[in-house]
Amino acid sequence: MSHDNEGRPRQKACDQARYPGALNEGRSRNMQANRRTDTKPEVALRSELHRLGYRFRKDHRLDLPAGVRVRPDIVFTRRKVAVFVDGCFWHVCPQHGRQPARNEWYWNPKLRRNVERDRCADEALAQAGWQVVRVWEHEAVSDAVARVREVLEHVFDATSGG
């Protein structure tokens, strides 16, 4: 791979056409700082669940029978519960999601694909016998914990027969 004068990997010409350039260096740094895992809302939820005695896997890849691979943020493997902490922008929150003001030709299809991928993952998990909990980043940690606990206890009751 070739690199530019500053040691960064050089983009291929076809990549430059696919991805819009950053408006400025600050915006570029901001976008590069977005994390796939260990976001603040995700860490807060995991910390509270762990404090309450729940044990789980984080960012654990599930290879489902339908040939679909998913990586929930929090996975309770024994109870088959997958928890996703969705960002309002990236997953088009009905309350806080906003339409991009620049490069709509790029962002709108990308965000639509994110939502479609979420629905596909939910469906594949359900077909494989998993319960899915989706939490928005703006939700209070106490509300998110209550929703996760409700599903975990329901699954536990259903599997234990009582």
Side-chain angles (χ1 to χ4, degrees):
M1 174 180 287
S2 62
H3 291 77
D4 66 11
N5 294 339
E6 296 177 16
R8 294 180 298 225
R10 184 173 287 136
Q11 286 185 327
K12 297 177 185 171
C14 60
D15 285 346
Q16 290 173 345
R18 247 178 76 200
Y19 302 106
L23 294 175
N24 57 48
E25 195 59 36
R27 174 63 53 96
S28 180
R29 277 193 308 274
N30 179 281
M31 293 305 287
Q32 288 174 353
N34 286 320
R35 310 179 96 175
R36 188 182 68 78
T37 62
D38 295 333
T39 62
K40 288 179 184 179
E42 181 187 330
V43 170
L45 178 58
R46 284 197 326 247
S47 295
E48 185 60 17
L49 288 168
H50 192 272
R51 189 186 70 74
L52 293 170
Y54 291 100
R55 298 301 177 256
F56 47 82
R57 293 178 179 264
K58 70 173 201 151
D59 194 39
H60 179 68
R61 188 175 94 182
L62 300 172
D63 296 323
L64 302 172
V68 176
R69 291 181 181 161
V70 294
R71 261 191 197 280
D73 299 309
I74 301 169
V75 181
F76 297 89
T77 53
R78 195 180 97 230
R79 296 181 185 190
K80 293 183 93 171
V81 173
V83 180
F84 295 88
V85 181
D86 293 337
C88 290
F89 174 75
W90 298 105
H91 298 269
V92 191
C93 168
Q95 275 184 294
H96 301 104
R98 58 180 179 77
Q99 293 297 314
R102 301 256 166 99
N103 297 318
E104 301 91 1
W105 59 270
Y106 172 78
W107 286 108
N108 288 335
K110 178 175 182 53
L111 297 176
R112 188 172 46 255
R113 284 191 311 270
N114 287 350
V115 172
E116 290 168 2
R117 187 179 58 240
D118 292 346
R119 298 299 79 82
C120 179
D122 292 352
E123 188 176 312
L125 284 161
Q127 288 176 354
W130 286 76
Q131 295 288 318
V132 176
V133 179
R134 287 206 174 259
V135 174
W136 288 110
E137 71 176 333
H138 68 263
E139 287 185 58
V141 173
S142 58
D143 294 343
V145 167
R147 289 188 34 230
V148 171
R149 290 182 75 181
E150 182 178 325
V151 171
L152 288 171
E153 290 167 15
H154 173 72
V155 169
F156 184 71
D157 289 345
T159 59
S160 65

